[in-house]
Amino acid sequence: MSKQLDLFKFWPKQKEATRLADRHKFFLYGGTRGPGKSYWMRWWLLRFLLLCQGHGLRGVMVGLFCEDYPTLRDRQISKIEIEFPRSIGVLKESKAYGLGFHLHNNGGVLALRNLDDPGKYVGGEFAAMGIDQIERNAIDLENDSNMFDTLRGSLRWPGIANTRFVATANPGGPGHLAVKRLWIDRDIPERLSKYRDEFVFLKALPSDNPALADSYWEMLDTLPDDLRRAWREGDWDVFSGQAFKVWRRDAHVVAPFELPATWPKWRAIDWGSSNPFCCVWLCQNPDSGRVYVYREAYERGLIDRAQARLVKSMTPATEKIDYTLADPSMWTKKSHEDSTFSTYDEYLAEGVYLQKADNERLTGKRKMSTMLEMGDDGAGSSPRPMLQVFETCVNLIRTLPALPYDKVNVEDVDSSAEDHAYDALRYGLSRVNPRPVRKPVDERSKQVDRIEKLVRRSANRDM
């Protein structure tokens, strides 16, 4: 094995990646720019083919995938044409296998593919798959037709029991959330629990690449803080293109507490069926203007009336809700047999009255950004964000900081990412004044505020 590794001129970290990829079904390599991830992937796949050939398996196909053809051409095809020895095979396109690197004497094919439509690979067969920069693809793990499950469904080959799925990634992109969940946080969905120990991540750093010029290091060191943390250090909590960079869990997430009955409360809904529907409950401190998201519903596959019933069941009878804002598309009429109705009608039939939210996306994005900034309560209080989220709202907390900007409409959030909780919250904030006029605080209120702080501190010491 050591000779095989030396043949492919792998650096020490790439050799470690090879050993892990050989042993685990789902392996992720990367996290930063510059360590030679793409090089390792194409050579590891070629090595896989040669090992199959050495065991007497002929005509085996493995796949190397990128998000689109231009990227595939620039990042992989052009390099394969230069690097792979002609004594082993030839880069060509055939009717049977398409574009790929074909080993001589039907020794196998490294197929070169793009992911503009992952569904076209349903029914295909690959003994191994390599996804270069997997985070550049939208991956909704809660959707049955997501890219990851679609591809791994084609991971099979006669005579090869240990098929392999390898990927490279950097922080960011439409698939950031799913990649971080599976390989970084190791929050494995129940349906994948059988493979819990097969998801393995190896962090690659620019320092793993001895060929990097000093000028590249200088470029990394002079990047803005968020890009430097992502590209040089592999920080998965910040990434290039992050829509809400100001988000900090320790500042925006709070433990639940009893909300005063006099504070106004309302709900907001983003509709979904195959995608999750989301409802958030909001409350505002009338003095400071600070908004709290204190409850969420997040479910997939519910019909309209079931959604409405869930919203009602999660709202205590004693809780006064002033109004419920909703996605304007819920007023669209749908024909069914002899009747025409809308989602709004279905909710109304269950006793949930909806009002149309403002769906102007850029206005909503700007307001969200403003509410996430710090606000000053006065009376000597420490600044806190104007938007606070109860820690029980796990889906909003999980998805909001992972949202990227849209690559085309660069001022907006990428709607192909998991934005359902974000959209519900965006609707919920559509009537909120992000910079309300704060009521004057008299001296007695200041004194009460100081006493309350002392009581809380004393209680915390006694816990």
Side-chain angles (χ1 to χ4, degrees), residues 265-336:
K265 299 179 178 67
W266 68 100
R267 299 177 297 217
I269 296 172
D270 179 56
W271 181 85
S273 179
S274 58
N275 288 324
F277 112 95
C278 181
C279 178
V280 293
W281 282 254
L282 303 99
C283 181
Q284 186 173 33
N285 181 334
D287 293 331
S288 67
R290 182 166 289 105
V291 172
Y292 295 86
V293 185
Y294 64 94
R295 188 183 299 137
E296 72 170 14
Y298 197 87
E299 296 286 345
R300 181 191 301 278
L302 297 183
I303 63 173
D304 295 346
R305 290 203 177 199
Q307 295 175 17
R309 287 193 289 269
L310 179 62
V311 170
K312 284 187 65 176
S313 68
M314 291 183 64
T315 306
T318 57
E319 188 171 271
K320 181 179 180 296
I321 299 295
D322 294 337
Y323 51 86
T324 302
L325 298 170
D327 180 351
S329 70
M330 295 169 70
W331 275 257
T332 302
K333 295 292 184 180
K334 299 173 284 188
S335 296
H336 179 70

Side-chain angles (χ1 to χ4, degrees), residues 63-67 113-115 121 126 129-132 151:
L64 175 52
F65 301 80
C66 289
E67 66 268 25
R113 301 289 187 261
N114 68 72
L115 290 169
Y121 302 112
F126 298 89
M129 291 180 170
I131 319 299
D132 198 11
L151 290 182

Side-chain angles (χ1 to χ4, degrees), residues 231-276:
W231 291 357
R232 195 187 195 285
E233 302 171 15
D235 187 342
W236 284 85
D237 289 326
V238 63
F239 55 88
S240 174
Q242 187 176 20
F244 300 106
K245 298 182 189 299
V246 71
W247 173 274
R248 294 291 182 271
R249 185 183 178 93
D250 59 351
H252 291 94
V253 178
V254 296
F257 61 92
E258 186 174 351
L259 297 165
T262 56
W263 288 8
K265 299 179 178 67
W266 68 100
R267 299 177 297 217
I269 296 172
D270 179 56
W271 181 85
S273 179
S274 58
N275 288 324

